[in-house]
Amino acid sequence: MLGAGRFVKIGIPWPEFFGPFVGVIEILAGTMFMIGYASRAVAVPIIVIMIVAIISTKIPILLGRNWWIFSLRHLDRYGFLSFTHETRTDWAMLMGAIFMLLSGSGRWSLDARAWRRSSASGNALADGE
């Protein structure tokens, strides 16, 4: 089950809206991360998505039961070790998005290129050209 169907199974409200919405945000944000455009801005929705993913799908694994409005999926084992195993990708994405929020996209990004261009034109105006 993909998209809205998976969100129904987890217990996410309004799955017909949030399934496609989250998918589009993840694709757009990932593309913007790759080209280095507005990386700090798109890191924010990714951070929110990853926190919701951990809360909605991984906390039930940690507890070994349904939690709040979220359903537990079938696994061979539950508890802390299963939780850490299942969240490894979520933590990597969350920490990567936090890094992008704090550091920006880097010197080869479109953001850096635009910054250099605006700084150069600003310096030219300040020099009276």
Side-chain angles (χ1 to χ4, degrees):
M1 242 189 235
L2 298 174
R6 184 154 188 235
F7 277 40
V8 167
K9 202 172 183 182
I10 295 167
I12 301 285
W14 306 295
E16 297 81 14
F17 171 76
F18 281 115
F21 178 76
V22 168
V24 167
I25 294 296
E26 288 178 344
I27 290 168
L28 288 176
T31 302
M32 292 173 78
F33 280 152
M34 286 191 299
I35 63 174
Y37 182 71
S39 297
R40 287 187 166 141
V42 298
V44 174
I46 294 299
I47 290 168
V48 171
I49 288 169
M50 296 320 303
I51 289 170
V52 170
I54 290 169
I55 290 170
S56 64
T57 63
K58 305 316 187 288
I59 297 296
I61 293 170
L62 176 64
L63 300 175
R65 61 182 169 78
N66 292 343
W67 178 72
W68 193 29
I69 61 171
F70 306 115
S71 302
L72 176 66
R73 66 185 173 114
H74 176 72
L75 295 173
D76 291 336
R77 297 185 182 121
Y78 301 101
F80 181 75
L81 293 178
S82 292
F83 168 80
T84 56
H85 174 75
E86 294 293 325
T87 58
R88 65 194 187 280
T89 304
D90 299 303
W91 287 118
M93 288 178 66
L94 178 60
M95 294 301 128
I98 290 171
F99 177 81
M100 292 299 277
L101 177 67
L102 297 175
S103 70
S105 25
R107 65 180 169 197
W108 292 347
S109 66
L110 290 179
D111 287 341
R113 183 177 293 177
W115 179 259
R116 283 191 299 269
R117 218 177 269 145
S118 69
S119 294
S121 66
N123 290 339
L125 291 174
D127 293 338
E129 292 179 15

